[in-house]
Amino acid sequence: MSISRSLLFTAAFALAAGTALAGGHQGNPAVKARQSHMQLYQHNLGILGGMARGRVEYNADLAVGAAQNLATLTTLNQMSYWTPGTSTDDLGDETRALPAIWEEGGFAKAVEIGTAMAAAAQNLAAVAGDGQAAIGPALGAVGQSCNACHEAFQQPRN
Amino acid sequence: MLKRIGLGVLLLGALALGAGWWITAPARVDASRFTGVSGDPVAGETVYWASGCASCHTEKGADSRLVLAGGVRLESDFGAFVAPNISPHPTEGIGGWTLTDFANAMLLGTSPDGRHYYPAFPYASYVRMTDKNLADLWAFLQTLPASDRVSEPHDLGFPYSIRAAVGGWKLLYANTDWVADAPTPVLERGRYLVEALGHCAECHTPRDQFGGLDLTRWMAGAPNPSGRGRIPGISPAQLDWLEADIAYYLETGFTPDFDSAGGSMASVVRNLSNLTAEDRNAIAAYVAALPPAD
C-alpha cells in the first residue's frame, strides 16, 4: 500500500468512525435524561414485580432497596428533562413525549400525577419489607400513576 | 381507523343511494324481543367494565369512571366525534329511553328517532352481546349518577355529516358472526369478552378500504387513529408474551419487562382491572390462542 493510499484509507476510516461516534452521542440530552430516568423506574419495578408475581424468591432487603430507590427517584427535580422544544412534534422518532406536556394545563397535570406517584412509592417502600404478599397491591398503586402519565403524554411506539 | 371509516362510509353511502334508501334504512329489534328478559345490575357492572363505556363516555380527566356525561373527542382527519351524555338524566342523557331503545342503539346502531349512529360507537362489536347481558347493562346504567351536561354536536365536515351513508357500511360489517374458534369454555368466555364486549379488534385490527375490520389480519396491529405511533399487533406473530403475562398486563398495565401501558390502552386497563381474575385470564387465553396474523 502506497503512503498516499494508506493516508487516504486512514482518513476515510477516521471519517467513518467520526460519524459513528457522532451518531452515538447525538441526540437531545434532555430526552436521554428522561428516558434514563424512566429506565430506572422500570429496573426497580422489575425487581419488585418479579417477587410480586412469584417469579423470583422474595428477599426483604432487595425489595426494600428497590422500593426506596423508586421513592427517591420520584423526589428528583426533573425540570431540566422536560425542556420546551423536545416533543414528538420537534424531534420526531427520537422521543415519544407528546406536545400535550407543554400545552395549557399539561405541566400541572404531570405534577399532579407525579405527586400521586411519589405517595404511592413511599407507601410501597413502607410495606416492601412486610413479605411477598404486601408488594403486589402497593406496586399496582404505583403502576396506576405510570399508566395515567403514559396515557396523557406518551406516544405509542411506531 | 377513523379516517378509514369515514372514507368507507362515504363510498358505501354513494352505493347505497344508488341502490335505494330502503336497503339501508336503520334496522330495529323486534318490539317483543326483550319481554321477559330481566336485567341484573350486579351482572351489569361486569358487562360495563368489560365493554369499556367509561373510556369514551366519561369526561376526559374526570376522576369518576361512573359519571357518563360524555365529552371525549375522538379526533380524525375529517373532524371529531364527541361521545354524548348517556347518563340516566331524563333530558340530557338517556333516562327517557326504554330497554328496546337501548338495544336498537347498542346492537343495531339505530337511534330512537330512527337515525344511524356512526361506527365510532362500536356497536358493530356490541351486536354480539347476549340479550341477557344487554338487559343487565341497562339495569346497571340506571344505578349511575345523572349528569346534566349538554352533549356537543360532532365536529364533522360535509359530506361526513350525512348519517344516511352509514347504512351501507352496516350492511357489510355489522353482524353477529364470531371471528376466532373457541373450542373450550374458557376460550368461549374469552372470545365473548374480546369480540363482543371488549371490542379489542376495533383498535388492534387494521381496516380495509371501506373502513371495515380486515378479518384476514385479525389483531395484527393498526395505525393509531390519533395519527401518532401505532397500535401494536397482539396476535402471536407480534406478541410473544405468556398467557400469564397478558393477564397481568390487563390487570396492572405492566409489560413483562415493567414498562407501563400508555395511550388509549391505559384506559382499557383501568376498566379491565375491575373484572375478576378469571375473566382477565379468559381474555389472555383467547389472545394467546389467536392464529398468527400479519
Side-chain angles (χ1 to χ4, degrees):
Chain A
M1 203 188 280
S2 71
I3 287 180
S4 64
R5 280 195 71 184
S6 87
L7 270 178
L8 207 69
F9 179 80
T10 313
F13 180 76
L15 206 70
T19 319
L21 266 181
H25 285 267
Q26 249 170 16
N28 190 291
V31 172
K32 284 194 342 250
R34 67 198 184 213
Q35 289 179 345
S36 307
H37 187 95
M38 295 291 161
Q39 287 162 17
L40 289 175
Y41 284 154
Q42 187 180 18
H43 173 75
N44 288 289
L45 273 178
I47 292 170
L48 292 154
M51 293 181 201
R53 296 187 63 194
R55 293 280 168 88
V56 179
E57 205 179 322
Y58 175 72
N59 174 318
D61 290 342
L62 270 179
V64 170
Q68 280 175 349
N69 282 353
L70 209 63
T72 305
L73 284 168
T74 64
T75 66
L76 298 192
N77 186 315
Q78 300 190 25
M79 284 298 275
S80 62
Y81 299 178
W82 304 99
T83 43
T86 61
S87 77
T88 49
D89 274 0
D90 309 300
L91 302 175
D93 287 345
E94 191 182 338
T95 177
R96 291 197 289 143
L98 292 173
I101 301 171
W102 294 275
E103 282 162 12
E104 175 89 46
F107 194 67
K109 172 153 194 196
V111 168
E112 185 190 317
I113 297 172
T115 308
M117 182 165 130
Q122 248 144 36
N123 178 54
L124 178 60
V127 304
D130 296 351
Q132 191 264 352
I135 298 179
L139 192 67
V142 175
Q144 283 174 13
S145 297
C146 315
N147 297 343
C149 212
H150 289 182
E151 175 174 20
F153 301 125
Q154 185 198 44
Q155 180 209 275
R157 289 178 205 284
N158 271 309
Chain B
M1 152 187 165
L2 289 176
K3 183 180 182 180
R4 278 282 174 89
I5 288 184
L7 214 73
V9 162
L10 189 65
L11 284 167
L12 292 170
L15 292 178
L17 282 177
W21 162 255
W22 60 272
I23 299 188
T24 61
R28 290 181 190 274
V29 301
D30 191 38
S32 63
R33 175 160 158 186
F34 287 90
T35 39
V37 184
S38 72
D40 164 15
V42 176
E45 180 170 5
T46 299
V47 179
Y48 179 77
W49 294 123
S51 54
C53 320
S55 292
C56 294
H57 289 283
T58 56
E59 268 179 291
K60 203 176 170 195
D63 286 334
S64 170
R65 304 284 284 170
L66 297 171
V67 183
L68 295 170
V72 170
R73 287 174 73 85
L74 304 160
E75 299 287 349
S76 73
D77 282 358
F78 48 90
F81 296 96
V82 189
N85 181 337
I86 60 160
S87 78
H89 192 278
T91 52
E92 303 312 328
I94 59 171
W97 287 26
T98 63
L99 174 56
T100 303
D101 290 336
F102 185 61
N104 283 322
M106 291 288 294
L107 307 178
L108 300 173
T110 301
S111 72
D113 60 359
R115 289 171 308 144
H116 291 297
Y117 288 121
Y118 292 104
F121 169 22
Y123 53 80
S125 295
Y126 297 148
V127 64
R128 303 182 180 92
M129 193 182 293
T130 63
D131 286 0
K132 176 73 172 76
N133 270 180
L134 189 98
D136 294 339
L137 176 60
W138 181 241
F140 176 70
L141 293 181
Q142 309 314 311
T143 69
L144 299 181
S147 157
D148 61 3
R149 187 180 168 284
V150 180
S151 297
E152 292 153 58
H154 303 312
D155 193 358
L156 303 172
F158 183 84
Y160 304 110
S161 47
I162 304 182
R163 286 180 182 268
V166 175
W169 188 92
K170 281 190 194 172
L171 269 186
L172 275 185
Y173 297 113
N175 64 61
T176 55
D177 297 345
W178 298 110
V179 178
D181 292 333
T184 70
V186 169
L187 287 173
E188 207 177 316
R189 176 69 181 159
R191 180 175 70 179
Y192 181 67
L193 290 165
V194 168
E195 294 189 16
L197 306 188
H199 63 280
C200 318
E202 301 268 352
C203 292
H204 284 283
T205 297
R207 294 182 182 264
D208 65 18
Q209 67 272 33
F210 295 132
L213 295 177
D214 181 350
L215 303 186
T216 66
R217 303 179 63 205
W218 193 242
M219 306 289 192
N224 188 359
S226 79
R228 298 173 189 274
R230 275 185 65 76
I231 306 211
I234 56 170
S235 92
Q238 295 83 26
L239 194 74
D240 61 0
W241 300 359
L242 300 172
E243 211 174 296
D245 293 338
I246 299 171
Y248 188 69
Y249 177 81
L250 298 177
E251 180 191 354
T252 63
F254 288 134
T255 68
D257 63 357
F258 284 86
D259 193 348
S260 100
S264 44
M265 192 63 197
S267 178
V268 175
V269 167
R270 226 175 316 156
N271 295 330
L272 299 182
S273 63
N274 292 297
L275 296 184
T276 61
E278 276 89 358
D279 275 349
R280 277 189 302 269
N281 290 343
I283 297 175
Y286 171 97
V287 172
L290 282 169
D294 40 29

